[in-house]
Amino acid sequence: MEHNLHIFVNSVEFIAKVIDLAKLTPDNVKVVCSTSGENSENNQRKLGKDYPIGQPSDPVRKINFYTSTCFEGCDLYDENGVTFIVSDGNKSHTLLDISTLFTQICGRLRDSKYKGEIIHVYSTTKYSRDVTLDEFVASTKKVLAEAVDYAKEINGLSETAREKTLSKIKYINEQYVRIEDNRLIVDKNLANMDIVNFKICRHIYRTYINLTDELKRNGYTITRHTFSEIIEKIENKDNARVTFKELFDEYHCLKTTRPFFSLDNHEELCARIALKYPLVKQAYDELGTAKVQALKYHVGNIRRELTKQVRLPSEYKIVKMIDTVFPKQMFISKSKAKSELQRIYDDLGIQQTAKANDLNK
């Protein structure tokens, strides 16, 4: 069945990059973006002369790109059109509020047989997770209330006193406050904008869970997703319970598959796992998936196997393996010590019978 792609993304740089990477020919592409003022020349330069900026009413192409100039009040017609919305976590201007612009875009293709389906391609933002949305809202409201009190106090002065006071202030070092007609004006809209921007960039698009919750809250149904549940766990929960098997299998999957409709780089996701769990990367690189599976993902056995492969004296390997096998600060019987030590000798191919006093060496 024939499909035409209608991709809404508020970034001409992103569009130009996709055209270049996908080697799209001009006859297959339509780009609609801003042509007002200097934007026309700047945007055309980014796209290249072979890809002229079009109009919404121009004939539909196989791949059609639209920036924010078409997000609202623009009717598009294509029975075979499929809507894609792209939100790049590294470009804040591509992140859309679900209840407003996102919903506006969903209605742009008027006659498409697929207008009930939207494909949302996104990556999460990399902002600090130290401040929650509720904390930011509370802090902003506190700053706004202080600004209102400050303005009320200054504006309560006589006209002469207020003029003298304000003339001595080169600039107002107060959020949401400006001088206008010899009075202080508090702009509550700026505070609301700060809250909305924080909500979009640092809350909604911070995690997959937040985004899906917001979509569902606005009446959308999630039918398919491609994201890493393991990454979500280890990055958003300090005491996340994940097994070595889950981590290793996820690492292997990311290493051996290509991203499908995803802005996340698989190598970057692998690096995040490796940073927090270096044994996963070491086992994958040095032992390989088949060996790790044969060892049944047992961390102790994996560490022993890794130690065996190190090109160092046997005595060093024995000490390293003892460190991974013997419990710390706990009594261990002589027979248990001997059997564990014998297993280490056997693993290392040392033709020697283990004795309890060998541990003294």
Side-chain angles (χ1 to χ4, degrees), residues 1 62 76 126 177 218 260 273 278 313 329 349:
M1 188 176 293
K62 197 65 184 172
L76 304 170
K126 306 299 187 293
V177 178
N218 283 274
F260 176 73
I273 293 176
Q329 306 297 323

Side-chain angles (χ1 to χ4, degrees), residues 261-320:
F261 288 135
S262 173
L263 294 176
D264 276 326
N265 182 293
H266 278 199
E267 285 302 318
E268 181 186 331
L269 295 179
C270 286
R272 293 189 212 172
I273 293 176
L275 181 64
K276 204 161 186 177
Y277 304 93
L279 182 62
V280 173
K281 180 180 186 305
Q282 188 182 7
Y284 183 86
D285 291 344
E286 299 181 26
L287 300 181
T289 301
K291 184 65 176 177
V292 170
Q293 291 173 341
L295 294 170
K296 302 185 184 303
Y297 302 92
H298 189 283
V299 172
N301 291 341
I302 288 169
R303 291 188 188 279
R304 291 160 66 94
E305 194 64 32
L306 288 168
T307 302
K308 283 165 57 177
Q309 297 192 14
V310 176
R311 294 184 177 180
L312 289 169
S314 295
E315 290 81 2
Y316 176 84
K317 294 181 182 180
I318 292 170
V319 171
K320 289 288 290 181

Side-chain angles (χ1 to χ4, degrees), residues 108-144:
R108 297 283 61 83
L109 277 174
R110 295 301 190 184
D111 62 342
S112 171
K113 63 185 80 169
Y114 311 109
K115 64 181 180 182
E117 301 175 12
I118 305 296
I119 297 175
H120 189 195
V121 184
Y122 81 99
S123 62
T124 53
T125 55
K126 306 299 187 293
Y127 291 111
S128 168
R129 293 175 167 82
D130 293 341
V131 180
T132 67
L133 176 60
D134 288 342
E135 289 170 341
F136 183 83
V137 171
S139 174
T140 302
K141 286 183 176 180
K142 181 174 182 291
V143 171
L144 182 62

Side-chain angles (χ1 to χ4, degrees), residues 3-20:
H3 296 85
N4 298 318
L5 278 56
H6 293 259
I7 303 172
F8 294 81
V9 54
N10 193 32
S11 171
V12 177
E13 291 90 345
F14 181 91
I15 294 171
K17 186 176 181 180
V18 170
I19 290 173
D20 179 56

Side-chain angles (χ1 to χ4, degrees), residues 123-218:
S123 62
T124 53
T125 55
K126 306 299 187 293
Y127 291 111
S128 168
R129 293 175 167 82
D130 293 341
V131 180
T132 67
L133 176 60
D134 288 342
E135 289 170 341
F136 183 83
V137 171
S139 174
T140 302
K141 286 183 176 180
K142 181 174 182 291
V143 171
L144 182 62
E146 290 173 351
V148 170
D149 290 343
Y150 175 68
K152 184 178 180 181
E153 190 172 333
I154 296 298
N155 292 337
L157 299 173
S158 67
E159 185 75 23
T160 302
R162 188 167 66 249
E163 185 174 355
K164 285 184 178 180
T165 300
L166 294 179
S167 67
K168 294 177 181 179
I169 303 175
K170 293 184 178 181
Y171 62 91
I172 295 293
N173 190 26
E174 293 286 333
Q175 276 186 281
Y176 315 129
V177 178
R178 69 178 187 274
I179 300 175
E180 190 175 297
D181 296 331
N182 198 35
R183 297 180 66 83
L184 293 186
I185 304 297
V186 179
D187 194 337
K188 296 182 180 180
N189 286 332
L190 285 179
N192 290 332
M193 284 176 60
D194 278 352
I195 291 173
V196 169
N197 289 335
F198 184 96
K199 179 183 177 183
I200 293 172
C201 295
R202 303 196 180 205
H203 177 71
I204 293 177
Y205 287 90
R206 196 184 76 183
T207 69
Y208 171 82
I209 295 170
N210 287 359
L211 179 57
T212 52
D213 285 348
E214 187 69 14
L215 286 166
K216 290 174 183 176
R217 193 160 37 244
N218 283 274

